[in-house]
């Protein structure tokens, strides 16, 4: 089984990082930290460390100063569950899931998971089943379905559901075979452009402008991470788009936030204007959704030569599921994690990982990839495309190996987290108690210099560079 240092080395060097830089990283703490048979804690620690080291290397390039990076395992786990430890005016989060979200048994004795936190996804499930949005009625209706038939029908109707598969079942699918041919993250040149010099500033990403077109967890965590190292991150949403308020607060720290109606010609013109001065464009919309509006990677590289375009997908950019929508909980279910954890726990049915680790680790990989691509752009020019997916992060996590007895680990309590890793900060919602960033940089400490604000609080424009 690989050590955390070796896992980090693989991530770092696979994206072109100089192995000598790894000597300045310290990974502390012992696994396991939370109850799982998978190495979820180390997955969080090493992806956070990769992003932290990328920021430290950028600072070396900008200032000539080297610095140390330390990531504690327990702190990393807390950050990878930051949404559950957030407190707003000392109040804990509301229930995380919609009333009919979750696991159901089907008529053929299998299990399916429904993700219904967005209204249109809930309506699609109920439309396919021909029932009202009540848990007992959904369960009764599903007894008339085979699990895989329901999964197929729900996706066709615009829903997001997952059949619980074993890892062997998943591995036999064409989509799993397509993922096996891809790296953990890919960084590809997609256009010619002169190098953009680093702007002046006193932090690794000071003056770097990031357009964040993402929702829920993974993409927003990437933007939050870039903001922690000094980037100007502008979160672009739409007034009609559904959002999950608690996640918006937690991942909104450090960001500006504006509304743009991308379905209107005026809104698309606004985004093109912002793009002309952007350095990084990070998006997690359904595959091809932005391309249909004129913002495919190659088009964005034409609007803004030298851009770094970051794409998040659920199941990867190759294979028959490349355009399938999905969330962390569904990818866990589809790819074998829930089945394996259930078996390890001795339960008849799915058991979730104790963190949305596919989301969080993928978010840190997005930030890492963006910084590594930006470094290449500043050195050799070009426009660049970074691609990551929840399923590919899952494949990587699976291949880190299993922990015997890991499910017997006592869980990390809120009291322990709040005693060690929480900062108290003002926001546009009230006073927040929130998990601090766990990558500790010795010369340029991570911090969020802007408070979390309600969506749409700022104009669609960039702040002046200092």
């Amino acid at each position: 089984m690989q050590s955390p240092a070796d896992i980090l080395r693989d991530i770092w060097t696979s994206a072109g990082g100089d192995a000598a830089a790894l000597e300045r990283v310290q990974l502390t703490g012992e696994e396991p930290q939370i109850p799982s048979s998978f190495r979820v804690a180390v997955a969080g620690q090493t992806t956070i460390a990769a992003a932290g080291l990328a920021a430290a290397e950028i600072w070396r390039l900008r200032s000539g100063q080297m610095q140390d990076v330390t990531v504690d395992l327990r702190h990393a786990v807390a950050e990878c569950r930051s949404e559950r430890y957030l407190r707003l005016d000392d109040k804990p989060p509301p229930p995380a899931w919609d009333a009919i979200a979750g696991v159901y048994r089907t008529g053929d004795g299998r299990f399916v998971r429904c993700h219904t936190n967005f209204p249109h996804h809930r309506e699609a499930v109920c439309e396919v089943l021909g029932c009202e949005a009540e848990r007992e009625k959904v369960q009764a209706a599903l007894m008339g379905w085979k699990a895989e038939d329901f999964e197929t029908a729900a996706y066709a109707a615009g829903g997001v559901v997952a059949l619980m598969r074993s890892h062997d079942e998943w591995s036999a699918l064409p989509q799993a075979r397509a993922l096996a041919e891809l790296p953990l993250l890919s960084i590809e040149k997609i256009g010619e452009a002169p190098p953009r010099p680093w702007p002046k500033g006193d932090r690794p990403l000071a003056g770097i402008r990031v357009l964040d077109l993402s929702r829920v967890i993974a993409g927003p965590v990437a933007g939050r991470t870039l903001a922690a190292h000094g980037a100007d991150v502008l979160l672009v949403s739409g007034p009609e788009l559904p959002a999950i308020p608690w996640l918006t607060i937690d991942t909104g720290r450090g960001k500006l936030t504006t509304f743009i109606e991308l379905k209107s010609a005026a809104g698309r013109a606004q985004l093109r204007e912002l793009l002309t001065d952007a350095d990084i464009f990070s998006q997690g919309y359904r595959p091809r959704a932005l391309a249909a509006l004129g913002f495919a990677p190659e088009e964005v590289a034409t609007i803004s030569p030298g851009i770094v375009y970051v794409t998040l997908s659920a199941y990867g950019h190759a294979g028959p599921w490349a355009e399938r929508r999905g969330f962390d909980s569904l990818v866990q279910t589809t790819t074998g994690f829930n089945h394996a954890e259930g078996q390890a726990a001795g339960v008849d049915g799915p058991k979730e990982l104790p963190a949305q680790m596919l989301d969080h680790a993928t978010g840190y990989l997005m930030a890492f990839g963006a910084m590594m691509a930006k470094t290449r752009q500043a050195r050799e020019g070009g426009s660049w495309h970074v691609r990551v997916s929840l399923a590919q992060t899952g494949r990587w996590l699976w291949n880190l190996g299993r922990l015997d007895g890991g499910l017997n680990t006592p869980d990390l309590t809120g009291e322990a987290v709040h005693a060690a890793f929480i900062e108290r900060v003002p926001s546009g919602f009230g006073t927040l108690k929130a998990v601090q960033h766990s990558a500790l940089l010795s010369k340029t400490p991570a911090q969020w210099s802007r408070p979390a604000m309600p969506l749409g609080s700022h104009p669609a424009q960039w702040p002046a560079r200092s």
Side-chain angles (χ1 to χ4, degrees):
M1 192 177 288
Q2 277 187 304
S3 70
D6 287 340
I7 295 166
L8 174 60
R9 175 180 293 274
D10 286 349
I11 298 170
W12 178 251
T13 56
S14 73
D18 179 1
L22 292 159
E23 295 174 8
R24 298 191 293 278
V25 182
Q26 187 175 12
L27 303 177
T28 62
E30 298 294 325
E31 63 179 329
Q33 288 284 335
I34 50 178
S36 177
S37 66
F38 290 93
R39 301 181 73 189
V40 287
V42 162
Q45 181 186 41
T46 53
T47 51
I48 290 169
L53 183 55
E57 278 293 278
I58 287 172
W59 183 244
R60 182 183 66 78
L61 293 170
R62 292 181 72 160
S63 72
Q65 289 185 323
M66 293 187 180
Q67 60 179 323
D68 298 326
V69 179
T70 304
V71 183
D72 176 69
L73 191 62
R74 177 164 289 209
H75 192 167
V77 169
E79 190 173 5
C80 289
R81 305 202 298 186
S82 57
E83 62 277 359
R84 72 170 66 182
Y85 302 120
L86 183 70
R87 298 292 180 267
L88 172 57
D89 294 331
D90 288 324
K91 297 184 183 68
W97 295 99
D98 175 69
I100 65 164
V103 173
Y104 296 88
R105 200 181 281 272
T106 52
D108 56 351
R110 301 292 297 266
F111 292 93
V112 293
R113 183 182 298 280
C114 298
H115 195 294
T116 55
N117 278 6
F118 289 161
H120 59 296
H121 293 154
R122 180 172 58 246
E123 288 159 12
V125 165
C126 293
E127 179 185 327
V128 168
L129 294 177
C131 72
E132 296 172 47
E134 295 176 20
R135 194 161 192 89
E136 297 74 17
K137 292 180 178 175
V138 171
Q139 178 58 80
L142 278 166
M143 294 313 290
W145 282 81
K146 291 183 177 178
E148 192 165 4
D149 291 346
F150 172 65
E151 180 186 57
T152 302
Y155 269 106
V160 277
V161 304
L163 161 63
M164 185 179 81
R165 292 173 173 85
S166 69
H167 187 66
D168 286 347
E169 285 180 303
W170 162 249
S171 299
L173 294 181
Q175 189 59 35
R177 294 198 294 272
L179 283 178
E181 302 299 315
L182 300 177
L184 176 58
L185 75 161
S186 65
I187 303 176
E188 298 166 339
K189 190 175 181 181
I190 57 169
E192 297 299 329
R196 296 184 184 184
W198 295 103
K200 288 187 169 60
D202 59 359
R203 305 188 56 205
L205 299 182
I208 299 300
R209 291 170 168 173
V210 180
L211 281 170
D212 180 358
L213 276 74
S214 65
R215 291 182 291 165
V216 194
I217 296 179
V221 161
R224 184 179 72 185
T225 305
L226 297 172
H229 296 297
D232 290 318
V233 179
L234 180 59
L235 174 64
V236 176
S237 186
E240 85 298 343
L241 285 176
I244 301 172
W246 203 257
L247 297 179
T248 298
I249 298 170
D250 182 48
T251 61
R253 290 177 281 157
K255 301 178 187 179
L256 302 163
T257 169
T258 196
F259 282 146
I260 296 179
E261 178 45 82
L262 291 179
K263 290 181 180 174
S264 73
R268 293 192 293 276
Q270 274 186 299
L271 188 61
R272 284 193 293 271
E273 179 66 25
L274 286 167
L275 272 167
T276 59
D277 290 317
D279 298 289
I280 296 169
F281 182 85
S282 178
Q283 68 94 9
Y285 278 77
R286 182 169 53 82
R288 299 217 304 191
L290 286 181
L293 299 173
F295 299 104
E298 292 75 16
E299 291 170 298
V300 168
T302 301
I303 297 167
S304 184
I307 196 79
V308 171
Y309 190 113
V310 186
T311 296
L312 163 71
S313 63
Y315 290 102
H317 60 269
W321 286 19
E323 293 188 26
R324 183 169 283 208
R325 300 175 294 278
F327 295 95
D328 177 306
S329 59
L330 300 179
V331 177
Q332 282 189 40
T333 305
T334 298
T335 61
F337 283 100
N338 287 183
H339 176 263
E341 287 278 68
Q343 280 199 322
V347 300
D348 175 27
K351 182 173 175 55
E352 300 82 6
L353 296 176
Q356 302 270 76
M357 190 50 73
L358 306 188
D359 260 333
H360 281 271
T362 302
Y364 296 115
L365 289 171
M366 289 174 76
F368 166 66
M371 286 187 271
M372 298 302 277
K374 178 62 194 149
T375 301
R376 291 182 71 170
Q377 203 293 324
R379 183 175 67 236
E380 60 194 77
S383 299
W384 298 84
H385 189 194
V386 179
R387 290 189 286 203
V388 298
S389 72
L390 300 178
Q392 190 65 326
T393 299
R395 181 173 179 273
W396 166 78
L397 171 59
W398 189 284
N399 289 335
L400 295 182
R402 305 285 292 277
L403 297 169
D404 288 336
L407 279 165
N408 298 323
T409 306
D411 205 355
L412 181 59
T413 65
E415 291 78 10
V417 171
H418 277 261
F421 308 127
I422 294 290
E423 61 182 4
R424 188 182 181 96
V425 291
S427 78
F429 305 90
T431 300
L432 300 184
K433 290 180 180 175
V435 178
Q436 297 169 297
H437 189 46
S438 58
L440 306 183
L441 278 62
S442 60
K443 297 273 176 58
T444 60
Q447 59 176 333
W448 291 291
S449 55
R450 295 184 171 102
M453 295 294 290
L455 293 176
S457 289
H458 303 99
Q461 63 189 46
W462 293 113
R465 287 192 170 109
S466 57

